[in-house]
Amino acid sequence: MQQRSHVAAKDVFEKAVGFTKADEFRRAGLYPYFTEFSSGADSGEAEVMMGDRRILMFGSNNYMGLTTNPEVKEAAKSAVDLYGTGCSGSRMLNGTMDLHVRLEAALADFMKREAALVFGTGFQTNLGALSTIAQKGDVIIADRNIHASILDGCLASFARITRFRHNDMADLEKILASLQPDEGRLIVVDGVFSMEGDTARLPEIVRLARAHQARIYVDEAHGIGVLGANGRGAAEHYGVEADVDIVMGTFSKSFASIGGFVAARRDVIEFIKHHSRAFVYSASLAPANAAATLKAIEIIKREPERRERLKHMSAVVRRELQRLGFKLLEGITPIIPVVVDDEALVCRFFWELMGEGIYTNPVLAPAVSHSLVRISCMATHTDEHAERLLESMYKIGKRLELIH
């Protein structure tokens, strides 16, 4: 019998041992992630607590400022009293409550779609919907800057995947023209790109989709509540809602909760509902989250002034940062990316802003092509909050030689 040689096998933990970047940044005093908040803001405020410090929040996706709204909090509390803390099962078997059904009806109505389906998280929504609706024999044509959850949904499908250069319509048209007639085709984009803050060129995408018989899937996570006359997102803003086949949204931004949904024709939703492994084999959304989302939808519909306030505040901050000399990525959303293009400098900027009592988002590659400080505005920011941010940005920007 041949004896096996005792050559050491590759250790599956080898990659973990080799990952030292986080500790290197910690030793340099630059590590900016997993910062701890000890409480949220009071209603109407844009400040949070970090230990015993009050911090002005310019790094949240709470665009409508509803996470501490008294009505939203009371709705969540009442749902816990009535339903308990969880459903302990999947929607298909023992986890569907009338609250879920009401929420899906409200979402379908709000988004002007035939039906909607709720998932436990936004990431799970893209993973579950895309991996189900796109199958073998189909091709997904996705923008290169899509969110990680969209990419994972595409990869989990058995569809062929191809990517077009970010917002490059000539590249998209070239790909569409190369497809075979027997390939089902689905164009997938973010309505608002979460890190860059720009929007998909939806009118042109619609034109190309029509010409090449493709369906369109738009992730409106950062557009809902923010864009459009009624807050339905980028598709409403550009007047192409009727031409977008599937819209996806999350509850963890404007809807002040956690979870996600897709909305589309009834037959499409029924198919996803009965075939998506991420939906069928996951426990259902907690009652408090569903109730909070329902109340947030109600408030967004009845208080359009929140959206107007957000639009005004975002325009002021963007205009003034450009006037001060900062390099920004273009956009019309509350997401304002300040380009720094140096990882260590991004982290220094973040910590110096924290020293001024202001929280932003340091974003490094590979999440973005440019390292940047991501500022996000909320409807609850005041003119005084904006002035404080701008004064600190100017002082630190001069010190770090980012502006002259």
Side-chain angles (χ1 to χ4, degrees):
M1 181 181 293
Q2 188 175 6
Q3 196 169 8
R4 292 185 182 179
S5 61
H6 294 285
V7 178
K10 179 181 177 181
D11 185 357
V12 72
F13 286 171
E14 186 178 307
K15 63 185 74 68
V17 174
F19 175 68
T20 61
K21 188 172 184 178
D23 280 338
E24 289 167 8
F25 270 67
R26 288 188 184 101
R27 285 192 294 270
L30 296 175
Y31 187 74
Y33 300 124
F34 302 99
T35 50
E36 297 180 24
F37 301 103
S38 51
S39 77
D42 295 328
S43 177
E45 293 292 333
E47 295 182 319
V48 297
M49 296 302 296
M50 298 185 76
D52 58 357
R53 293 186 69 200
R54 290 182 71 85
I55 301 292
L56 179 57
M57 175 55 76
F58 268 99
S60 172
N61 297 324
N62 178 27
Y63 301 121
M64 293 291 102
L66 293 175
T67 58
T68 55
N69 179 276
E71 290 184 67
V72 174
K73 292 197 293 184
E74 184 55 40
K77 292 174 186 176
S78 296
V80 171
D81 289 340
L82 181 61
Y83 297 97
T85 57
C87 303
S88 302
S90 72
R91 286 283 303 277
M92 181 170 279
L93 296 180
N94 63 321
T96 293
M97 296 182 172
D98 57 355
L99 194 56
H100 297 125
V101 177
R102 296 207 313 271
L103 176 57
E104 287 168 343
L107 288 164
D109 177 70
F110 180 70
M111 298 302 294
K112 303 304 177 190
R113 302 281 166 167
E114 287 184 3
L117 184 66
V118 166
F119 288 75
T121 69
F123 198 109
Q124 182 191 18
T125 306
N126 276 328
L127 181 67
L130 284 165
S131 63
T132 303
I133 205 66
Q135 298 188 352
K136 187 175 181 180
D138 298 328
V139 58
I140 294 172
I141 312 100
D143 189 290
R144 283 189 184 168
N145 285 17
I146 53 173
H147 190 268
S149 61
I150 303 176
L151 178 58
D152 279 7
C154 295
L155 293 172
S157 75
F158 289 100
R160 183 166 70 87
I161 303 162
T162 184
R163 310 277 292 275
F164 63 94
R165 289 188 294 272
H166 178 52
N167 267 342
D168 187 329
M169 297 298 101
D171 196 32
L172 173 58
E173 185 170 23
K174 181 180 177 181
I175 292 171
L176 288 168
S178 72
L179 302 180
Q180 299 301 311
D182 61 347
E183 289 182 303
R185 58 282 307 265
L186 180 66
I187 301 171
V188 180
V189 296
D190 291 83
V192 174
F193 292 88
S194 60
M195 294 296 107
E196 296 84 357
D198 57 344
T199 59
R201 297 169 65 175
L202 288 176
E204 294 170 79
I205 290 171
V206 165
R207 177 182 61 80
L208 291 174
R210 283 176 176 169
H212 296 275
Q213 301 174 61
R215 299 289 187 179
I216 303 174
Y217 180 110
V218 178
D219 179 328
E220 291 279 19
H222 293 267
I224 288 175
V226 174
L227 295 179
N230 300 283
R232 293 198 292 271
E236 184 186 26
H237 172 79
Y238 287 112
V240 295
E241 286 181 283
D243 300 294
V244 170
D245 299 284
I246 304 176
V247 290
M248 174 272 180
T250 56
F251 305 151
S252 52
K253 281 78 178 176
S254 293
F255 288 155
S257 184
I258 190 168
F261 73 95
V262 284
R265 287 174 8 187
R266 184 182 180 278
D267 55 357
V268 172
I269 294 301
E270 280 290 295
F271 183 81
I272 297 172
K273 185 176 185 177
H274 290 88
H275 292 85
S276 171
R277 293 165 65 87
F279 177 79
V280 172
Y281 296 101
S282 289
S284 57
L285 188 70
N289 297 123
T293 305
L294 267 169
K295 182 56 68 172
I297 294 170
E298 177 188 320
I299 293 171
I300 288 170
K301 290 171 72 173
R302 78 166 188 251
E303 297 181 9
E305 61 271 18
R306 286 180 179 268
R307 190 160 44 261
E308 291 305 312
R309 175 66 190 171
L310 177 63
K311 182 179 178 181
H312 164 75
M313 185 56 54
S314 303
V316 167
V317 171
R318 180 178 289 276
R319 182 186 67 239
E320 291 304 303
L321 284 174
Q322 288 175 322
R323 186 183 64 80
L324 291 173
F326 286 100
K327 179 183 177 183
L328 308 183
L329 298 181
E330 292 184 7
I332 57 171
T333 72
I335 301 167
I336 305 172
V338 180
V339 178
V340 178
D341 269 342
D342 180 292
E343 289 189 351
L345 205 54
V346 166
C347 296
R348 283 184 62 192
F349 206 145
F350 168 80
W351 282 114
E352 294 212 19
L353 281 170
M354 282 285 285
E356 297 282 321
I358 299 173
Y359 188 90
T360 55
N361 292 132
V363 185
L364 310 178
V368 285
S369 53
H370 298 277
S371 291
L372 50 87
V373 174
R374 178 186 183 273
I375 294 167
S376 51
C377 297
M378 298 186 291
T380 47
H381 281 134
T382 65
D383 292 342
E384 290 74 22
H385 291 147
E387 288 172 12
R388 183 175 157 193
L389 170 72
L390 293 165
E391 288 173 5
S392 295
M393 291 282 292
Y394 177 74
K395 180 168 58 176
I396 296 167
K398 291 282 282 187
R399 186 159 61 238
L400 297 181
E401 298 183 345
L402 289 172
I403 55 174
H404 303 288

